[in-house]
């Protein structure tokens, strides 16, 4: 996105006289009301931080030294803002007290106490902003109004933009003519209002976010703004007409910083502590920095985009070197004659045919060599016949790494959020359940909806496909489990009876497809014989968040802070115990039942089910702010690779044998609500609150099989 040319007339609100009386300002005895001016530091040299002990510190960015400590707050400092020339600053603490600083001598020129002793509850999302010339400071008060301070006349103005139910965030434009205020408009808390507080005029209402706005920033010339929201999107706006010029997806930004030309943007995540550097023109994330151990509280871009600063709740300020712009020499593709293209195509077809014969003769190493050569031919890396042969070979060769991943289909049709998803073992059929109470069957190859199942009276939160892909189980909040035929959409039976609204039953097919394992809302896990509708066994659990089955019939039940392993054939059960800080959200088993994986806030845990031994823990992170990173978890049949996801965490592919993160996949704009994967790891399906299911293909690196195959080694 290129910014408008400089010759474009700049929009300015009409100048009008003040229509409201401003109450007098009482200066603080802690410092003088005026201070002598002095030379200011160059742009980007000073940084300002606020801490839990109430101190505001001024830092020299280049040396990392603390230049001054400003004492004026009695409570933890929630937000600070610094003018580009480093002359003026403002700070806000959790009690609602605001200090305005003239940094020439480091003494607080003005101090505005909290309007009431209970103001802290309203400042948890509030930010303070100061105009570049230091003339105006603004912040949101605990009662949802906007407070504006004229620092020269020492006057306060309090108000609320028209049609705005309450104010959460406020940011002044550099000229100070207008304020950008986020809050509720018409009962919705996802809009930003461009407001002139002098004339009480609303110039634009910036709409598009589907959750409340968490961050606002404006370019130095006041022409563009960026807003971050809990809907995991960042929107860039042209303030001349209020239009949205770019949407950046996949980050819950708690802090933002736009470059002066609006070509680059820095964002800090509200949950995982990462810092992302974006190219606004393409909407692409150029670099992700690992960031802080906890949430990122503030980010600042250097005016020249050479470096960035980020402050986190782990009590550190980090300085990042940003990637320089790289301009490669133009490279033109050489036009190839038809005869050469034909020759390359014939060569690839010959290599694939030889590889297929080698697989038939069980010469897998030779087949791998032939297909690897075919995939090096330009333009044929993902040719359908080459990929089909590669996947056929993957049944005989171990996977050793992830080559690539891409989205091949988007399944759309549900009216509302998709709450559950499953996929057949061959990857041909998918099934989903939604908040609209329907169950839908899909062709993965074409993305077409092949069947819609009606019958549930409430949202469907659990679905399961039979091993042959011909039958479906669905669990709904109406308390019932329905058994469907995929071929004609007929309901073959209903298991259970309505128990009122509550948690939906969790459903799974057994390996033979003749029984259903159902975790009912009463925390009882029952095995039902589908042909007769009779109960064939039950297990009592304290609570159930997820269930998983192996091909050997072993059932794993995630209940609170333990996993119960149950074999319905012998009616025996045993527990997997560990010291958990949070409830386990998900569980999955290897096909042979020898290994189990559990997902919770502490990370992903790998278990040896025979001995009950904890083999390893990986995927660890911040426990306080990221409690749903592994809410969904699925593994390959051999449990050597796994995929995890959460509503606020994108899908991640893991190497279970080493605990290494292989790749972070593209996320949905409205978070992941369900996850499924084929046993061979080829297809990964993720559902979203936006009503879509994304089908991803994973392209694995293969290795020649050994003379004697053995299961993966899991070293503690």
């Amino acid at each position: 996105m290129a910014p408008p040319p400089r010759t474009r007339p700049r929009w300015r609100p009409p100048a009008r006289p003040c229509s409201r009386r401003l109450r007098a300002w009482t200066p603080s005895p802690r410092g003088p009301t005026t201070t002598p001016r002095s030379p200011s530091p160059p742009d980007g040299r000073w940084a300002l931080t606020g801490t839990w002990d109430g101190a505001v510190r001024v830092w020299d960015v280049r040396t990392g030294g603390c230049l001054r400590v400003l004492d004026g707050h009695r409570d933890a400092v929630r937000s600070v803002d610094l003018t580009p020339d480093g002359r003026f600053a403002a700070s806000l603490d959790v009690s609602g007290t605001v200090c305005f600083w003239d940094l020439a001598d480091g003494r607080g020129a003005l101090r505005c106490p909290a309007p009431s002793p209970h103001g802290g509850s309203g400042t948890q999302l509030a930010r303070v902003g100061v105009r570049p010339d230091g003339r105006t400071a603004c912040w949101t008060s605990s009662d949802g109004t906007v407070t504006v301070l004229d620092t020269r006349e020492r006057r306060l103005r309090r108000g609320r933009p028209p049609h705005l139910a309450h104010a959460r965030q406020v940011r002044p434009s550099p000229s100070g003519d207008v304020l950008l205020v986020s809050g509720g408009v018409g009962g919705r808390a996802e809009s930003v209002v461009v407001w002139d507080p002098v004339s009480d005029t609303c110039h634009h209402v910036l709409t598009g976010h589907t959750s409340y706005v968490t961050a606002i920033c404006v370019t130095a010339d006041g022409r563009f703004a960026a807003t971050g929201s809990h809907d995991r999107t960042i929107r860039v706006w042209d303030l001349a007409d209020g239009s949205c010029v770019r949407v950046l997806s996949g980050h819950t930004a708690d802090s933002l910083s736009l470059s002066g030309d609006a070509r680059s943007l820095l964002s800090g995540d509200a949950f995982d502590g990462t810092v992302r550097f974006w190219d606004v023109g393409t909407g692409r994330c150029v670099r992700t920095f690992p960031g802080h151990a906890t949430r990122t509280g503030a980010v600042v871009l250097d005016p020249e985009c050479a470096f960035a600063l980020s402050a986190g709740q782990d009590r550190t300020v980090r300085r990042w070197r940003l990637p320089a712009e790289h301009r490669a020499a133009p490279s033109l593709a050489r036009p190839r004659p038809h005869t050469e293209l034909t020759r390359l195509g014939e060569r690839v077809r010959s290599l694939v045919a030889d590889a297929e014969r080698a697989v038939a003769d069980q010469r897998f190493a030779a087949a791998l060599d032939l297909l690897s050569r075919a995939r090096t031919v330009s333009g044929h890396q993902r040719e359908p016949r080459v990929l089909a042969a590669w996947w056929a070979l993957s049944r005989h060769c171990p996977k050793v790494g992830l080559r690539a991943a891409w989205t091949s289909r988007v399944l759309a049709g549900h009216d509302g959020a998709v709450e559950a998803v499953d996929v057949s073992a061959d990857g041909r059929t998918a099934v989903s359940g939604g908040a609209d109470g329907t169950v839908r069957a899909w062709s993965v190859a074409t993305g077409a909806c092949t069947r819609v199942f009606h019958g549930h009276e409430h949202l469907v939160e659990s679905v399961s496909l039979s091993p042959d892909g011909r039958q479906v189980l669905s669990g709904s909040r109406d308390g019932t489990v329905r058994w469907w035929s995929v071929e004609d959409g007929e309901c073959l039976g209903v298991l259970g009876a309505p128990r009122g609204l509550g948690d939906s039953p969790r459903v799974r097919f057994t390996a033979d497809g003749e029984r259903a394992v159902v975790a009912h809302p009463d925390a009882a896990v029952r095995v039902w014989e589908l042909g007769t509708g009779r109960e064939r066994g039950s297990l009592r659990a304290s609570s159930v968040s997820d269930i998983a089955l192996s091909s050997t019939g072993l059932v794993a039940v995630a209940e609170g802070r333990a996993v119960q392993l149950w074999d319905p054939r012998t009616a025996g059960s045993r527990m997997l115990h560990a010291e958990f800080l949070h409830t386990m959200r998900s569980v999955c088993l290897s096909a042979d039942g020898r290994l189990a994986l559990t997902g919770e806030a502490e990370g992903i845990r790998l278990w040896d089910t025979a001995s009950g031994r904890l083999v390893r823990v990986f995927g660890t992170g911040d426990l306080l702010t990221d409690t749903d990173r592994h809410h969904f978890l699925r593994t390959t049949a051999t449990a050597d690779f796994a995929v995890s996801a959460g509503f606020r965490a994108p899908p991640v592919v893991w190497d279970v044998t080493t605990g290494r993160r292989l790749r972070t996949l593209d996320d949905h704009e409205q978070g992941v609500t369900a996850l499924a994967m084929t046993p061979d790891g080829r297809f990964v399906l993720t559902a979203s609150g936006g009503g879509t299911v994304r089908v991803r293909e994973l392209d694995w690196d293969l290795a020649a099989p050994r003379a004697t195959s053995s299961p993966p080694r899991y070293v503690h």
Side-chain angles (χ1 to χ4, degrees), residues 16-22 157 196-201:
R16 297 183 181 179
C18 177
S19 59
R20 296 185 181 182
R21 182 175 179 84
L22 307 181
R157 175 191 299 276
D196 179 357
V198 176
S199 62
D200 197 24
T201 303

Side-chain angles (χ1 to χ4, degrees), residues 23 45 99 195 213 277 295 431 441 449 482 621 630 682:
R23 73 179 180 87
R45 182 173 177 179
C99 290
W195 176 50
V213 175
F277 182 58
R295 69 185 302 168
V431 65
C449 179
R482 292 181 177 265
H630 312 301
R682 179 177 183 180

Side-chain angles (χ1 to χ4, degrees), residues 317-402:
V317 177
R318 298 173 184 265
R319 186 176 187 268
W320 308 96
R321 181 180 300 169
L322 298 178
E325 184 178 5
H326 174 70
R327 295 185 179 273
S331 177
L332 301 178
R334 177 178 63 86
R336 297 184 178 183
H338 179 71
T339 55
E340 182 179 352
L341 295 177
T342 302
R343 179 177 57 81
L344 292 176
E346 291 177 351
R347 179 188 176 192
V348 170
R349 285 192 292 272
S350 175
L351 290 171
V352 172
D354 291 344
E356 291 173 342
R357 286 191 291 269
V359 171
D361 297 338
Q362 297 187 359
R363 295 183 291 110
F364 303 122
L368 178 61
D369 178 65
L370 291 167
L371 288 180
S372 298
R373 289 158 54 190
R375 299 199 68 176
T376 61
V377 178
S378 177
H380 293 79
Q381 291 88 346
R382 297 182 185 176
E383 198 270 332
R385 186 176 177 182
V386 174
L387 282 181
W390 188 265
W391 276 106
L393 180 62
S394 69
R395 303 188 186 100
H396 311 283
C397 296
K399 302 176 182 65
V400 294
L402 188 61

